[in-house]
Amino acid sequence: MTGDPREVAPIGEHPMWLPDAATAHLRGRTVAVRGAGRLLETVRGEASRAGMVFEEAGGDGADLVIEATTDAATAPEGFEVSRAGGATRVRATTDSGALYGWFHVVRLGATAFDDTLPTARHEPQHAMRMLDHWDNVDVHPVMGQVERGYAGGSIFFADGRLRDDLSRVERYARLLASIGINRVGLNNVNVHAREARLLTDGLGIVARLADVYRPWGIRVHLSASFAAPITVGGLATADPLDPDVIEWWADAAARVYREIPDFGGFVVKADSEGQPGPFAYGRDHADGANVLARALAPHDGIVHWRAFVYNHRQDWRDRSTDRARAAYDHFTPLDGRFHENVVLQVKHGPMDFQVREPVSPVIPAMRETAVALELQVTQEYTGQQRHAVYLAPWWREILDFPPFGDGGPSLAETVRGGIVAVSNVGDDPFWTGHPLAQANLYAYGRLAWDAGLDPGAILDEWIALTFGDDEDVRRGIRSVLDDSWLTYEAYTAPLGVGFMVTPGSHYGPSVDGYEYSPWGTYHFADRDGVGVDRTVAAGTGFAGQYPSPWRETYESLETVPDELLLFFHHVPYEHVLRNGKTVIQHIYDTHIDGADAVDRKVAEWDELEGRVPADVFARGRDLLAEQQRSAREWRDHVCTYFWRKSGVPDAGDRVIP
């Protein structure tokens, strides 16, 4: 490793959205970078890499002027771009704002130097824009090197230790800075024995990675085990109210900050899916989070405490117990008890990153607690980067959701703890497995910065940076990705019911795979109907956890959105949707139409041969062939299952295997 953040990618590694061509409009132009700060040195390095010529003696005549000054009057990470006197100017209050302004100029392309460029201020909607990596130092016997990772091994770890060569991590940090990410969690939230030691004798690993991220304005966070006082500290207990435990966490935090003064904080998954937590000691999650928060507070550190807490040993016969209710029931009574530096990290839906589920009611309920919205860029339940599924339209729908009704704030405006997502990156040559999955990583960063951006415009931006300005390529990739999320939904689990995946791997159809399991992921299909009754009147009462008007909307069959029908109601197969189709006919039609849509996407991709790089085309062709096979498998399994279950034939008289 050279330590030079401008090091170019080796042959065979795809540059994602920052190929040299992305800065071609800057080559040979003059630049002046004014001010002091570590990140301004990064900007200077980027300008040099782009082939710009530095202006001396103030640089008043430069084509591009980037300046960090307290006179800029922007938010700490914001910047203003203007055009006057033949120069494009980026002014920011801080060096981080200047760095983000530089990448904005890269995104603008040649229009950055158009005299019609309007003056505009750009400021992040959320101060915390984070990616969590579920990477393991040791390869886990079940979950592998990267839990729920579909792009090879870890870019951080190999052979049970930190990689010697971290140059790829440097290039990754550059890519993340270009889309506004400012925090990274380094390891799996399911903290195993080896990873628990990152907090103690493995701290040098964390420090080395922090050194790599620092020039790009990114602070690192560490997933910590709640049981660390026992497993690595040698104490007899991890009781959060025990004085020795309190002292141990304070000492551990102080030790971290001596090594890494800008360390971000801890991410904790507790009392969840077998992970240890405060319940073992008769304590609640405010007690558990606050002991870490007190340890971190003197150092300006944050605890991300995950709200993914539920009973994973449920009796499937018990229809009163509802996994969807669990986070609300556990956490809302604690609202107002968490310390100020606790961020409650809440998955966007009440279940687990399904292709369709309602927004979690925990988010609007926690009025006195900082809440971070958690998304999943890695495609655990959306095709695992073997299917081309562009998730930004789904995320935008989530971010736009008004939890208190029309006219009230959007979800993006409601969360006060920022946005977090699980990364989709690995050591695959294309970083994300599927070349088109890069668009999801790019879009996440852009929406975390500004939730009001249009997913189609973001996609165009990514295509232009990655592939250039070939209009045929733009149209071809748009045709594959534009409706890809809805296409995936069409040929998988219908009407919000969720899951129906192969247990363990979560890939491919298994309609009853989890139906009689203890995981609480049921569809309750029988000979008469399908769906989960979550009404207050007759079901689990989950609908009542929402504020008005949503509790009434979801409670009633007359008003519940069709796309969430089976999440909230158990209905007969002959129940008629708003489009005039019965539920059973909808299941047949969407699965057949969805598989047909994938056939068209395969043909659309084939038209791009010779217009995109050969390696990109080949990988895309192979994965689209797998998507085509899988979509047909989903179609056949789901249609056959519900035909046999209901006895109702397809009105179109099509052959159902």
Side-chain angles (χ1 to χ4, degrees), residues 166-367:
L166 295 180
S167 59
R168 187 164 191 180
V169 182
E170 294 179 44
R171 293 187 290 278
Y172 180 56
R174 175 177 180 250
L175 287 157
L176 295 189
S178 76
I179 55 174
I181 301 300
N182 63 0
R183 308 272 180 146
V184 166
L186 298 176
N187 63 305
N188 192 357
V189 293
N190 292 312
V191 182
H192 308 295
R194 175 66 183 88
E195 293 73 33
R197 287 165 41 211
L198 291 172
L199 186 59
T200 54
D201 59 303
L203 191 54
I205 291 173
V206 183
R208 283 192 62 198
L209 289 168
D211 289 344
V212 174
Y213 280 107
R214 191 172 293 113
W216 302 96
I218 298 171
R219 296 171 69 176
V220 301
H221 294 240
L222 190 65
S223 291
S225 169
F226 186 80
I230 300 172
T231 58
V232 297
L235 299 185
T237 180
D239 183 347
L241 301 190
D242 184 280
D244 290 339
V245 171
I246 294 169
E247 182 180 6
W248 187 90
W249 279 113
D251 290 345
R255 187 168 55 248
V256 173
Y257 281 92
R258 283 195 296 270
E259 287 282 328
I260 313 163
D262 59 352
F263 180 71
F266 299 135
V267 181
V268 182
K269 176 180 179 179
D271 288 318
S272 175
E273 299 180 330
Q275 290 296 306
F279 287 168
Y281 305 98
R283 313 302 186 191
D284 59 37
H285 280 260
D287 297 326
N290 288 343
V291 67
L292 278 77
R294 282 193 297 271
L296 290 167
H299 314 285
D300 192 32
I302 292 170
V303 180
H304 280 90
W305 192 269
R306 299 181 84 237
F308 188 52
V309 178
Y310 68 98
N311 176 11
H312 70 287
R313 294 185 176 91
Q314 184 176 332
D315 183 347
W316 61 267
R317 301 168 188 82
D318 174 15
R319 295 203 180 191
S320 64
T321 302
D322 185 1
R323 172 171 166 174
R325 288 189 57 105
Y328 186 100
D329 289 341
H330 284 305
F331 285 96
T332 57
L334 308 178
D335 191 26
R337 284 192 49 214
F338 292 98
H339 287 350
E340 288 186 0
N341 60 328
V342 174
V343 174
L344 190 65
Q345 188 166 311
V346 181
K347 292 188 178 187
H348 68 77
M351 294 299 284
D352 192 8
F353 299 129
Q354 296 302 291
V355 70
R356 176 79 72 174
E357 55 181 306
V359 163
S360 170
V362 176
I363 298 171
M366 303 297 286
R367 304 288 188 92

Side-chain angles (χ1 to χ4, degrees), residues 624-643:
L624 278 162
E626 163 56 18
Q627 183 174 359
Q628 185 177 48
R629 183 210 63 78
S630 181
R632 292 170 178 175
E633 182 183 34
W634 271 100
R635 174 198 65 195
D636 295 347
H637 278 233
V638 173
C639 289
T640 300
Y641 177 93
F642 282 102
W643 180 36

Side-chain angles (χ1 to χ4, degrees), residues 541-557:
F542 170 73
Q545 292 184 338
Y546 287 87
S548 293
W550 297 108
R551 64 161 59 101
E552 295 85 5
T553 298
Y554 295 147
E555 178 79 11
S556 171
L557 275 174

